[in-house]
Each structure stands twice: as C-alpha cells, then as structure tokens.
Amino acid sequence: MELVKVIEKKVIKDYFVLTVETNKTFNSKPGQFFMLNLLDSLNLPKPFSVMDEKGNYLSFLIKIVGSFTEKISSLKYGDSLLIRGPYGVPIINKIDLTKKYILLGGGCGSAPLIYFSKEYPQLVKDTLFSFKEVYIQSILPKLTLFIDDIMGMTPVEFLSQNQEKLENSGAILCGSKGLLNSFFDTFPNMKNRSYVSLEENMGCGSGLCKGCPVQTVAGVKMVCKDGPIFKANEVNLEWK
Amino acid sequence: MELVKVIEKKVIKDYFVLTVETNKTFNSKPGQFFMLNLLDSLNLPKPFSVMDEKGNYLSFLIKIVGSFTEKISSLKYGDSLLIRGPYGVPIINKIDLTKKYILLGGGCGSAPLIYFSKEYPQLVKDTLFSFKEVYIQSILPKLTLFIDDIMGMTPVEFLSQNQEKLENSGAILCGSKGLLNSFFDTFPNMKNRSYVSLEENMGCGSGLCKGCPVQTVAGVKMVCKDGPIFKANEVNLEWK
Amino acid sequence: MEVDVLGIKFKNPIVIASGPGGNGRELNEFIDLSKLGGFTTKTITFKPKIGNPPPRIINIDNGVINSIGLENSGFDSFLNDDLPFLNELNTNVIASIGGYNVEEFCYMIKNLNNTNIKIIELNLSCPNVDKGGDTILNDLEETKKIVKQASKISQKPLFVKLGIECNLEELAKIVLENGADGLTLINAPKGTKVNLDKNNPVELSRGFGGVSGPIIKPLALSCIYRVKKIFPDVSIIGMGGVVSKADVLEFLKVGATLVGIGYGVMMDPQLPINIIDDL
Amino acid sequence: MEVDVLGIKFKNPIVIASGPGGNGRELNEFIDLSKLGGFTTKTITFKPKIGNPPPRIINIDNGVINSIGLENSGFDSFLNDDLPFLNELNTNVIASIGGYNVEEFCYMIKNLNNTNIKIIELNLSCPNVDKGGDTILNDLEETKKIVKQASKISQKPLFVKLGIECNLEELAKIVLENGADGLTLINAPKGTKVNLDKNNPVELSRGFGGVSGPIIKPLALSCIYRVKKIFPDVSIIGMGGVVSKADVLEFLKVGATLVGIGYGVMMDPQLPINIIDDL
Ligand SMILES: Cc1cc2nc3c(=O)[nH]c(=O)nc-3n(C[C@H](O)[C@H](O)[C@H](O)COP(=O)(O)OP(=O)(O)OC[C@H]3O[C@@H](n4cnc5c(N)ncnc54)[C@H](O)[C@@H]3O)c2cc1C
Ligand SMILES: Cc1cc2nc3c(=O)[nH]c(=O)nc-3n(C[C@H](O)[C@H](O)[C@H](O)COP(=O)(O)OP(=O)(O)OC[C@H]3O[C@@H](n4cnc5c(N)ncnc54)[C@H](O)[C@@H]3O)c2cc1C
Ligand SMILES: Cc1cc2nc3c(=O)[nH]c(=O)nc-3n(C[C@H](O)[C@H](O)[C@H](O)COP(=O)(O)O)c2cc1C
Ligand SMILES: Cc1cc2nc3c(=O)[nH]c(=O)nc-3n(C[C@H](O)[C@H](O)[C@H](O)COP(=O)(O)O)c2cc1C
Ligand code: FES
Ligand code: FES
C-alpha cells in the first residue's frame, strides 16, 4: 500500500471531503475507487470512490456511517493513511459514447459522478447530485447540488415532473439500492439506456477473493473488478 | 472504573513518571497498586504500583516494555485514562514494626519503596533505589538513586561490600526475580528478616480470578490480594 | 427485564460466568451480587485442585488466555465454606461442577439436590486440565453415560457447558437427548501465544490455555445461533466476550436465554451492574 | 529460507492460502507469484459452484467473516483454463479440492496425478457450504474412507485441511493413520456478526460464515502446537491471521513447516512479498 498524507479535510456533521497528497500520480478515472486503511490497522481496507484527482492530490467524499469512517474523519492535517488502487473499470470504458447522460447520484454516490462531469462534460446532459440535507453545500460549495429538503421532493420525483430531461438520453446512477430501484420502478424503459454503479461489501477490493458478487446475464461477476459500473439491464439486484 | 486526567508526564527513554488527577482521594498506602486502562479499550487493565499519592494526585513510575506501557507513555496533558484500586495489602500491614529496613528496589520496583520511605522514614534504615542507567535521574531528580553504571556494580555486590548495612535490620525487596534470587543467594540468612514484593501477570487484579498465584507455606495465595508483599521465607518463587 | 428459565425467575438476564467471579465473596466486596440475575460458581471438583503454576494469565489483543487449571478447594469445602455465603444472596446460584467420572458427578449432584442452588452446570469443556470434561467430550459414550446418569439424579435443571473444539451440533444433540435441560455456550477455546523475545517462546507451561473476551465473540454468537437453529426451544446461557449492553442484546438476539459475563468482570468488577442498570 | 517438505523444495516457507488469492491470475497482476514458496488454488469442486449470494464479506475487528460458498467453475474448467497458467509459474502449486463423496475426490485426484501440481490438499473443513467437507468430518467413517482412498490413488503428497470445530487431535490421528502425508491448519472457524441496527440483525444469509485474520491467530497457533505435540514429525501448513514477519516466525516456532497467508493478501496483495523480502 502507499503512504499518503492528509492535506485538507472539510467536515460537516456526518459528511466530509478528504484530500490527500500522494507520492505519485495514479491517473485514476471517474468510477474507479481506492482501498483506504489506517496505519497499523489489522482490519481490511475499505473502498472509496475518487471524487477528484489533480496531480498528486486525490479527493474523496465520505459519509460517517461506522467505525472506520469515524476514524478517518478524525485524522488531522499531515496525518498519514494507506491507500491502494485505483480499482474498478472506469465508467468511460463501459458506456455507449454516442449518448449523453443524466448523472444521478445519491449521497456519497455522487462522488464518482462529480469526477465524471468534470472530466467528460461533453457526455453530460444534466446532473442531479442529490443529498437530503442542506448542510452538505458548505463542503461542496462550487457544485450545483439537488437538495431534497430544499426541493421538497426526491430526485426521482423531480424527474417524474421533468420527464423531458430523460428523453433521448441515458442515465448513470450511483447510490443506494433504494434509489436505483425507485428510479427503475418509475422509468422502467430507462433500464436499457442506463448504467448503475453498485456497492457491495468488499474484501480485497481487487478481484481476488470473490467477495463482492453480482448476478449478471453473463454469470456471477465481481463488483470490484468487473464493475462497479454495470449496464442496468444486465444485473440482477435482487439476488439474495 | 474511575476516569482520571493526565496532569504531568516526564519521559526519559524507556521510563516515565505519570501523574494523574483524580476526582477523589483514594488513600492508597505504600505497596498498593492500581489497575490502569485506556479509554475504549477491550483489553484487560494492567497493574502499576503507587509511587506517590498527594490529595487528588497519584504518581506512577512506569517502564515501557510492551504495547500498553507504550500507549500510556504517549498520552498527553489533559488526556483521560481509567483506573481502579487501590489493591493489595499495604506493606505496613505485613511487616514487623519493631525493625528497621533496607529498601532495595530494582527499576520500577523502586516505586512502592519510594512511597514507603516518604511515608515511614522512621522504619527505614537505608534505601537502594537501583537502576542500571544514569538517565533515570532526570525524571526522579529529588531522590538519591543507586545507579549501577555509576557505581560500577549491582546493588547486591555493593551490599556484599557493605554488609554492616544489613546487620540487625530487615530488608524489603521489590524487583525482578533475578534481583531477589541474587540477594538471597548472597545473603541466605536474610530470608527470615525480609519481605519481597512479587510481580505476576494479572487478570482481575482484585482477587477474583485466581490468575496470579504464588505458592506459600500456607498454600496457594494470590499476589494481587494476599500480596504483593510477602515474607521472604514463606513463598516459593520456583513453582513452575 | 425479568426472564423465566424452566420455571425459575431471573430478575434480569445477566449472570456471572463460571470462573472469573470466584465463589462470590471477593466480588461481593465490589458489587452487590443480589442485583444479578444469577451467579455461577467457579467450577467445583470432587477433590481440591491446586491449579496450574504461574503464569496463568496471558494478555492478548481484545482478550486473555487463561490457564487457571480449576484451582478450587474441593466439593466438601464448597458446601461448608462457600454455599452458606451464596445462600444468603438474593440471586439465583448456578453450581458449576467438573469431574473425571460418573461417580464424582453423581456424588456432587446428590448433595446439591438438598441445597438452594437453582441450576447445576456440568463443565465438560475446561481447556486447562489434562483429564476431565474436555477429554470426556471426546468419548461420546462416556458423555452420554454421564449426562444420562446426572439428569436422572438431578432434581435441579441440568445445563451442560460446551466449547467449540468439538462437533457442537452433534454433541448438543447427544446431551439434550440424554436429559440435559439446557446448554451453556461457550467455554474458552484453546489458544496459544508465542513471545519470540523469550527463551521459552511458547507462553504457558501447557503450551496453550483458554481464550476469553471480545476476541471470541463472533465464535460464541455462531455457536448459539447454530444450536438454536436445530433446537429452537432449548434454554441457553450464552457467553463469550460480553462487555456492553449491545453485546447482551446481540446474544439475546441469536437465542441466548441468559447472558454470562466472565472477562467483563475482570476488566471491571462493576461492569455487570453498569449493564444491568442500562438494560 | 528454503524449506524441504516431503522431498519438495520450497524456496521459502510462504504459501498463499486457499481462497483469498483466487486461482492466481488476478493476484499475479499485483505480485510476481514466482517469488512465493507456493500457491494454493481456491478450493476446486467437481461441478461448478455459483457460490453464496451477497453479502459474502462482513468486516469485524481484526478480521473478516466470509461466506463465499466455494464459488468456482468446476474441476474440468480448472484443468483447461487455470492449470496452464499456474504451470507457467516458477512456484509450487498446491491444489485444494473439495467434494461430496469419495468418487468426486478420486476423480479429481486421478486427473491431478498427471499434472505438475506439487501437493493435493483435501479441504474437509469449509464452513460455508451446507454439504461437503464440513459435514464429512462429522462422520468419522466417511472421513476414514475418503482419506484412505485418496491417499491410495494420489501420486502426490496429500494434505488434509481441518478446522477447529472438531475434535482436532482425534481427527488428525485418523487422517494421518489413513494415509495423509500432512495437515493444513486451520480453516476459518464459524462466526456470526449481529448488527442490531438492521431489520435482519444476524448478518449473512446462512447466519454465520468463516472467520479469518489476526482475530483467529491464537486459536490457529494452539491447533498447530497441540497436533505437533502428538505428531512431532508431521508436516503442517500453518495459517490463520498471518500478516507480518513476526507472525510467520511464531507459526514456524509452534511447528508449522510452511506458512499460509489468506487474509493478509486481502489486506494488501503485496504483503506476502514484503514478508518474503524481510525473512
Ligand atoms: C466501490 C465502492 C465505492 C464506495 N465509495 C464511497 C465513497 O465515495 N464515499 C463513502 O462515504 N462511501 C463509499 N463506499 C462505502 C464505504 O466503503 C462504506 O461506507 C465504509 O466501508 C463503511 O465503513 P465503516 O467502518 O465506517 O462502517 P461499517 O461499520 O462497516 O458499516 C456501517 C453501516 O454501513 C453498512 N455498510 C458498510 N459498508 C457498506 C457498503 N459497502 N455498502 C453498503 N452498506 C455498507 C453496514 O452494513 C452498516 O450498517 C463505497 C463502497 C464501494 C463498494
Ligand atoms: C503488583 C504489580 C505492580 C506493578 N507495578 C509496576 C510499576 O509501578 N511500574 C511498571 O513499570 N510496571 C509495573 N508492573 C508491571 C506492569 O504491570 C507491566 O510492565 C505491564 O503490564 C506491561 O504491559 P505492556 O502491555 O506494556 O507489556 P506486555 O506486552 O504485556 O509485556 C512486555 C514484556 O513484559 C513481560 N511482562 C508483562 N507483564 C509482566 C509482569 N506483570 N511481570 C513481569 N513481566 C511482565 C511480558 O512477558 C513481556 O515479555 C507491576 C506489576 C505488578 C503485578
Ligand atoms: C480466568 C478465567 C477462569 C475461568 N474458569 C472457568 C471455570 O472454572 N469453569 C468454567 O466453566 N469456565 C471457566 N471460564 C470460562 C468462562 O466461564 C467463559 O465460558 C469464557 O471465559 C467466555 O466468556 P467471557 O469472554 O465472558 O469470559 C474461565 C474463564 C476465565 C477468563
Ligand atoms: C475470502 C476467503 C475465502 C476462502 N476460501 C477458501 C477455500 O476456498 N478453501 C479453503 O480451504 N479455505 C478457504 N479460506 C480459508 C483460508 O484458506 C484460511 O484457512 C483462513 O482464512 C485462515 O487464514 P488467514 O487468516 O490467513 O486468512 C478462505 C478464506 C477467506 C478469507
Ligand atoms: S472484494 Fe475481493 S473480489 Fe471483489
Ligand atoms: S489477578 Fe485475578 S486473582 Fe489476582
């Protein structure tokens, strides 16, 4: 793993943006992720999508949901952590490049889409980086966000009222299973024009351990290696 | 357990003096010890002898030998830790009060004897708070120490050359098994005038778990509850 | 949070596990044992046992390896010296007994029948004695015989304490079919610590001891879960690394009826009471 | 640190344990497998197995609970698709095989006899399939039969992989007396995680999985120590929580001949090479 240094940390309640300085350029692509770990930890590292890479700086958007995210949220400027990656297939390698896309992110699922919209503006028809609460704006000030609490509705409800946005365009979705399901329940015919970025509990994060399966039309695939981005109509999210 | 606060920490290489502020007066006596633990630790607490108690301040002399002592050595002013105690029988409750004593401490074994000499100067004939290395003086500046490296000999060798110190007096020893054995090998007839403070790996530290046995003339006893101080001729240090 | 176990009322589901709380006298100086759902004695053997030589305690990450070796002053001394004290407590006493053959177990059970103790627990899984329960379990016929005979004689509910170094599901079946009323799960599994800095790098004279504490919690939870799946109605005293209210709820969730605390008492004698106050 | 195991030279004692390294192709993109003492395949079964549904990985303190369920594409696919790649490597390949009956094991062994693989490992202890090795071990007669037959047919040294949820000493005796040449210790013991915040608080669809990582190290060390005490000359591939050079030395100290790394590869694919460079 590579040692990196915390350069900036912007925290607001349960969200934070973490920027680290690296010793090399990783050339990560939107949709890829890194495995992060604390120094001297005997736990497995955990996956986080790149929100931005610029030279020797990598940024992540992280939600505090448990003990690991809690611990990295309390790192200070100059503290070290360990990373390896980038892993996963870049979104750009999977999608139909003749189309334009609505980017729909839910919470931290917005991170890879934020990176995507910066790198490939020509492929983006519109963005819905959606979050429930207003406060998130204070750590992502330069972005136009969709705030449920301001809009008074979810992004899927918003799209139902503005269906023209989806006409002739694909969608790239990244968020909870709830978000994905509600989108495809509402717009079933989007399934063959959309891509979904999946989350699964990960072990190795790098295609070795068979720990992160998803059922696809081509058999069981690994989210970490064959994804996280998949064509929406090729995966079965209900395998239990 | 009680929450206490680090008030002072003096470190020199592998030794440090730790002073904590407590919310109550424990009225610990020389020879007694506390069980110390870190906040949020799932490990067992570990035993440390009191080197001094003054009002709401407790001091310990600690040698860094492993992961726990390493971790407390890196606590900073104001940090919290957990303690419970005091445990063990005060030296004063065990010894023959009609005698005067040579106090022989080896390394951190000096801690309880330093406290004893402060509380009961009338019972002390002489002190040998012995350490191998000179640097220890910088964190125990007010005390007269026996430094092997300065004297060019061990405290037991020194006593062989100054046997008059042992005449008509008892001894209270606290240190490694090596120190105790070398003393009694050299002065076998001191055995029935001396007391030894024993160390044993501890579990509960408070007489519950039968984790810290010593074989005595009266059967198996617990170092934490029945000791740590024992009459030298009543314990078998070779039980294995 | 009152619990009913085979007709016996426990004022809460928290019991002290056998061992770390001794026979109660010392622990009662720190906490009021009458606040507990129950108290399990340190395993009593027919004859006194001097226990293993030191060291008996090896610290490991999130746990401890112990090699006490069932130090106790024997069954008669228990009846005369410890039981009167335990009888005074307003809590349910569980008597843990260990033995080498069916006669020893039966002698002890007969005598316990005439006392106030509420449950008899056969410790067939101590990792720290060369002969005894641990080796009895390896002999399925002997196990059957002892449990059958014990349950015939016992006028108290009979629990059998098992560990994980056995075919747990099969053994559970055997002891329940032969008359045990409940199971205590789990005893400390065997563990070894190596200290490369030492001349004698394998710690503990027997080369291993029993592992307790949070480090065994996932194993303990799975044992209870698996047994409960096969025997949904069996009463289980669950234990292994319980040090918080959340741990207690997790053990209840997988099917424990009562929850034992051993290591937690060594961390802090006050811990069981803190948990009870919080339930 | 060359090691000789039953006449086979290992350039160092480090082998990849079965499972976390897959069948090598993916891992070889991160490290040069030829630097390893050996590489164990993910357990191969006669027929393809789709494995268990997600989640398959549950993080716990100092370890992981996995419920992969032996996902693999079956023995024939292994021979055709994976073995040619493994043959190219300049390291000793250990083939881990799992089965449901003696015929399946024998078919696979016969076919492995004609290959370059160096050791055959019978995985009789996978915690994550409902039928298979785990249940074979509960039937001592079936275990005897399989090991006896396997060792008769095998022209390669035969290792048997055991876990701790069995009477280890007795089983070790049985498999060695019936022709096994060595033992692999230990497979992941069964563990459960409860997440009180969830609707379905017991994680993993089967309610438990196999526990790996430093959390099982004390248990693994004691298994090896205890077996080695009874069979001082047996070759053992030791594993369970090895993540550092010190861990490797500890496993060698209690009697392992080779040391397997599984979880360590998941932490950091580079880890086995870092350790080898440091030995
Ligand atoms: C490819 C990928 C990219 C990711 N990118 C990001 C990111 O950019 N920002 C971010 O904040 N998070 C991201 N995650 C999720 C992140 O890895 C988890 O939130 C983190 O591992 C939780 O660790 P913890 O110890 O804090 O919480 P835990 O204590 O492990 O978990 C807390 C709760 O979250 C649930 N949980 C844990 N991991 C996951 C998971 N992977 N999926 C769904 N639920 C889970 C647990 O079941 C539990 O209920 C990503 C996950 C994947 C697979
Ligand atoms: C009654 C009593 C009073 C004590 N008072 C003091 C004191 O005032 N100051 C002080 O520095 N230490 C004292 N100790 C010892 C102290 O408890 C240990 O040094 C400490 O627990 C080590 O913890 P660790 O995690 O840093 O080291 P570990 O990693 O636990 O151990 C490091 C090395 O030290 C050895 N070791 C650990 N504990 C003991 C022990 N109790 N006896 C002998 N060897 C041991 C280990 O075997 C190992 O080789 C006392 C012990 C007892 C029993
Ligand atoms: C120091 C110590 C002594 C023990 N003595 C006994 C005993 O005498 N009889 C018994 O059945 N279990 C004994 N145990 C095992 C505990 O009762 C319990 O099964 C095990 O430690 C797991 O629970 P815990 O993690 O809460 O301690 C002992 C455990 C420890 C740590
Ligand atoms: C994700 C994962 C998959 C595993 N798959 C197998 C397997 O297919 N066959 C097997 O014998 N053991 C398997 N194991 C067990 C390991 O080989 C090893 O016995 C165990 O994990 C302990 O070692 P470790 O702590 O180094 O991982 C697996 C372990 C993990 C974590
Ligand atoms: S996490 Fe190991 S294969 Fe995906
Ligand atoms: S440490 Fe528990 S009795 Fe002494």
Side-chain angles (χ1 to χ4, degrees), chain A residues 30-32 49-51 91 108-117 174 197:
Chain A
Q32 291 191 298
S49 300
V50 182
M51 186 170 70
I91 295 175
C108 286
S110 295
L113 301 180
I114 291 169
Y115 192 20
F116 185 92
S117 70
C174 185
S197 183

Side-chain angles (χ1 to χ4, degrees), chain C residues 1-19:
Chain C
M1 271 199 107
E2 211 179 78
V3 184
D4 186 295
V5 183
L6 304 166
I8 306 162
K9 281 222 168 62
F10 284 73
K11 58 179 79 115
N12 59 61
I14 304 299
V15 306
I16 303 295
S18 176

Side-chain angles (χ1 to χ4, degrees), chain C residues 248-270:
Chain C
V248 171
L249 300 179
E250 292 177 13
F251 275 76
L252 294 176
K253 194 59 90 179
V254 292
T257 324
L258 298 170
V259 178
I261 303 184
Y263 181 85
V265 174
M266 293 164 71
M267 280 183 78
D268 180 1
Q270 204 66 41

